[in-house]
Amino acid sequence: MMGILKAAACSVAIDKGEYLFREGEPAQTLYCVETGKVRIGKVTPDGREITFRICGEGDFIGEIMPFCPTAPYTVEAKASEDTRVAVIPKDRLEELLYLEHELSIAYMKWMGILQQRTQSKFRDLILHGKKGALYSTLIRMSNSYGIPADGGGILIDLDLTNQELANFCGMTREVANRMLSELRRNNKLRMDNGKIVLTDIGFLRDAMHCENCPVEICSIE
């Protein structure tokens, strides 16, 4: 999928802090991250940021519904660092999907995975509240960015402030700090040079009644 779309795309550099698109703008472009990272989220009416996922190299970004009237973006996409993306206009995407049957199948699969990820996040939040939001976010981050840690455990190899983590969970920084402190006191996680190390991911999974979803579903990307 990536090869065909990138061959039909132009490459654009996006500076850190710059937006690919804002909520409410017409969804007329599909993006593929070549280098860097892009935060997908939205801002609530009271000004609070909520982060849904972080897109890295090889990830597609956009809410394009091919062969349907153009709808507005319901989220925003902001570069977390200097980034380069491949840009595919909606009309070109539709042309490729019409001509390339294998691409059409791959695109439908990608859209299905995104929908499953969204449903699983809502499930965790509805069934387990704030604990579900934090624990499931840590599990997903470990699947996306986890590496073996010195001394045991899983290091989430991602530069992340407590405020940014709180944004993923849809909660305030104070609530996130309190829950993280409790996990540290109970030896379920520790900090290593500012990064989170999960020392007992089994505890998080048991608390969430983890359904062992495939990594492509249970991820933060």
Side-chain angles (χ1 to χ4, degrees):
M1 176 174 169
M2 186 189 305
I4 296 174
L5 291 179
K6 287 184 69 174
C10 62
S11 186
V12 176
I14 306 293
D15 294 332
K16 179 181 179 179
E18 187 177 347
Y19 289 88
L20 274 69
F21 54 80
R22 304 292 294 266
E23 183 177 357
E25 295 178 354
Q28 297 178 328
T29 308
L30 180 70
Y31 301 90
C32 178
V33 180
E34 297 179 327
T35 60
K37 287 185 173 62
V38 177
R39 168 194 165 273
I40 309 298
K42 67 190 306 172
V43 179
T44 64
D46 61 1
R48 191 159 47 90
E49 285 190 357
I50 298 177
T51 301
F52 297 134
R53 61 192 179 109
I54 295 176
C55 297
E57 182 178 347
D59 290 329
F60 288 92
I61 302 171
E63 296 181 321
I64 305 298
M65 295 300 295
F67 312 110
C68 295
T70 299
Y73 288 113
T74 59
V75 294
E76 63 182 22
K78 184 179 181 180
S80 302
E81 58 190 53
D82 290 345
T83 300
R84 180 168 289 277
V85 296
V87 180
I88 306 100
K90 182 174 183 285
D91 56 355
R92 181 57 175 150
L93 173 64
E94 291 173 339
E95 180 183 356
L96 289 171
L97 292 175
Y98 181 78
L99 296 173
E100 302 283 349
H101 294 171
E102 290 185 4
L103 177 62
S104 298
I105 294 171
Y107 190 84
M108 286 189 291
K109 180 180 178 181
W110 173 67
M111 293 291 290
I113 289 172
L114 288 184
Q115 184 179 27
Q116 287 180 286
R117 286 179 184 172
T118 301
Q119 289 175 343
S120 68
K121 291 176 184 178
F122 281 130
R123 176 201 64 206
D124 294 339
L125 181 59
I126 291 171
L127 293 180
H128 303 288
K130 288 184 172 62
K131 180 182 74 173
L134 177 62
Y135 288 14
S136 64
T137 295
L138 292 174
I139 293 170
R140 289 185 172 92
M141 286 182 171
S142 73
N143 287 336
S144 296
Y145 299 101
I147 59 175
D150 294 336
I154 302 172
L155 170 68
I156 298 177
D157 192 18
L158 179 68
D159 292 322
L160 193 72
T161 66
N162 283 6
Q163 180 62 67
E164 290 169 334
L165 178 59
N167 292 346
F168 270 104
C169 305
M171 62 180 67
T172 65
R173 180 172 56 83
E174 291 75 17
V175 172
N177 287 345
R178 186 163 59 248
M179 296 177 70
L180 289 170
S181 295
E182 182 179 356
L183 289 171
R184 283 199 297 270
R185 285 196 303 271
N186 293 326
N187 298 316
K188 306 305 179 184
L189 63 76
R190 69 176 189 271
M191 302 303 296
D192 185 355
N193 293 323
K195 295 181 179 180
I196 295 173
V197 177
L198 302 179
T199 54
D200 190 355
I201 194 170
F203 168 81
L204 302 181
R205 289 174 173 157
D206 290 343
M208 295 297 300
H209 304 289
C210 186
E211 298 178 358
N212 296 314
C213 299
V215 172
E216 64 181 4
I217 302 299
C218 187
S219 71
I220 209 69
E221 297 174 327

